[in-house]
Amino acid sequence: MSDSSSWEVDVEGNFPLHKAVVEVMPRGTKIVSAASSGISAWTKTAKISVILEDGTRKGYFLECATGQGARPLVEGEFHSVSAIDAVVPGLVPKAAGWGQYDNGETQEYFFLGDFHDMDFSAAPDPEYLMSQIADLHRKGMSPNGLFGFPIPTVCGKMERTVIWEKSWAKSFTHQLKDVIKYDNETNGQWLEYDAACQQLIDGVIPRLLGAWQSDGREITPALIHGDLWERNIGIDMETGETILFDPGSTYAHNEMEFGTWRCTWAFYFNSPIYMRLYQRHVEPSEPVDEWDDRNRLYSIHPYLNDSAGHPGSLSRQIAYNDMLFLCEKYAPLDCLEKYDPEKDVSVTGAYVPFAMKQLG
């Protein structure tokens, strides 16, 4: 641990609290306790109980990260939360700040936001949730009309390339290349897989996504949460409101939001009621009969992100098979292997739970 003068003393609980965290709180805040709280695959998390200068008691949620992607994780979360809250107030916990400090071994980055006591076991009300998500997508307009985001964000712990692009096909290609690179770094080269990845980028994406912005057609960038799945949503125990957290936002095609809902770890978002209610507010992009193929394409990003973060998982094989399906349909190439419907979870209905544990 770094110089003891940099840490708060006489604070109850088991979580060491650096003074840099306190500096982003309102002036005159008194720290009561700091205790580990919640489960996160990539960060250490805590509840900070305080008394504000006017005597009001308040709870903060603290998230601390080190290593690969730590800064874009917390800085990106701060800006993502702030952008979402500005469009749909109350949908995410209000952000208080972010920062960094030396913990004596390495640089540690932190995000601080309002604490909500949440139930993670109950499924959110479909009608209410999807109306809120639709509001986010319709009202969250890109500040410059382009796809991207002002600063880097992450999905899981993997940083996305979110440079501003006029073309959605180019913007999505940047993000797909990111996770392909991360996956190869973790799991090693695989020649057949690499060939399918290249054909997906060279042939499928221009056909499936690029066609929207040709012959005078346009697509409007929408603010998305960016990592919306069951473990990033809860029900506030006090208000009963649905709360989203851990966003890694970007201005994207709105349908990208739902790629994760196709994945093997989805356990209620794969119910058709959620998408059907969303589409009452936001109609599917044209051509409507290619919606499922676009959803399959968007699911490859979270699958490879999961594969990169969890070496040896089934996600790489599933993503590869989905690539083969899309290549066969939109950009056939004789040298590629054949798609196997018996490995297609949209056919088999296989469910693979996502394991998470709190960092020590």
Side-chain angles (χ1 to χ4, degrees), residues 91-339:
L91 184 58
V92 290
K94 192 170 291 294
W98 75 279
Q100 66 187 79
Y101 56 85
D102 185 343
N103 65 13
E105 298 178 354
T106 187
Q107 283 295 112
E108 191 146 358
Y109 295 85
F110 69 88
F111 166 81
L112 190 72
D114 284 358
F115 181 86
H116 292 259
D117 185 15
M118 288 188 280
D119 177 10
F120 303 107
S121 62
D125 175 69
E127 187 168 0
Y128 174 78
L129 174 65
M130 300 322 294
S131 69
Q132 295 289 90
I133 299 301
D135 278 350
L136 174 64
H137 293 170
R138 289 182 302 190
K139 297 176 181 178
M141 307 295 289
S142 171
N144 54 17
L146 302 178
F147 298 97
F149 204 66
I151 63 162
T153 59
V154 305
C155 181
K157 67 174 181 178
M158 307 300 172
E159 183 175 343
R160 330 172 172 264
T161 299
V162 289
I163 56 175
W164 294 112
E165 292 282 5
K166 184 176 181 179
S167 163
W168 169 236
K170 286 184 179 179
S171 182
F172 180 72
T173 297
H174 290 320
Q175 298 185 53
L176 189 64
K177 285 182 175 179
D178 289 338
V179 290
I180 291 170
K181 172 177 173 285
Y182 296 141
D183 180 49
N184 277 335
E185 288 173 350
T186 299
N187 293 298
Q189 296 290 119
W190 173 14
L191 293 180
E192 293 82 1
Y193 164 81
D194 291 342
C197 289
Q198 195 62 52
Q199 185 64 0
L200 194 74
I201 290 167
D202 292 343
V204 175
I205 291 177
R207 162 60 185 83
L208 202 52
L209 304 185
W212 279 332
Q213 292 176 289
S214 61
D215 300 325
R217 292 187 293 265
E218 286 296 333
I219 180 173
T220 301
L223 179 63
I224 66 170
H225 177 283
D227 193 14
L228 187 58
W229 65 297
E230 289 91 342
R231 297 297 187 192
N232 283 346
I233 188 166
I235 309 299
D236 189 294
M237 299 281 279
E238 193 170 314
T239 67
E241 298 291 334
T242 298
I243 302 291
L244 313 184
F245 54 94
D246 279 356
S249 293
T250 182
Y251 292 96
H253 179 217
N254 63 296
E255 292 178 4
M256 185 182 175
E257 190 83 274
F258 309 114
T260 310
W261 297 14
R262 189 187 193 94
C263 295
T264 54
W265 54 83
F267 54 92
Y268 55 70
F269 279 151
N270 57 3
S271 169
I273 187 63
Y274 287 96
M275 191 51 55
R276 185 168 298 180
L277 289 171
Y278 174 82
Q279 290 174 349
R280 289 183 183 176
H281 301 281
V282 180
E283 293 183 355
S285 298
E286 295 288 346
V288 175
D289 61 0
E290 292 179 2
W291 184 94
D292 190 66
D293 293 335
R294 295 192 297 268
N295 184 246
R296 186 188 293 266
L297 174 62
Y298 292 145
S299 76
I300 291 171
H301 185 279
Y303 270 133
L304 295 186
N305 193 70
D306 176 67
S307 177
H310 302 87
S313 76
L314 293 174
S315 293
R316 197 185 207 202
Q317 289 281 353
I318 295 169
Y320 174 59
N321 196 53
D322 282 340
M323 292 179 199
L324 297 176
F325 174 93
L326 293 169
C327 288
E328 284 183 17
K329 185 169 183 178
Y330 292 102
L333 195 64
D334 289 341
C335 66
L336 296 180
E337 293 186 309
K338 299 299 181 184
Y339 156 76

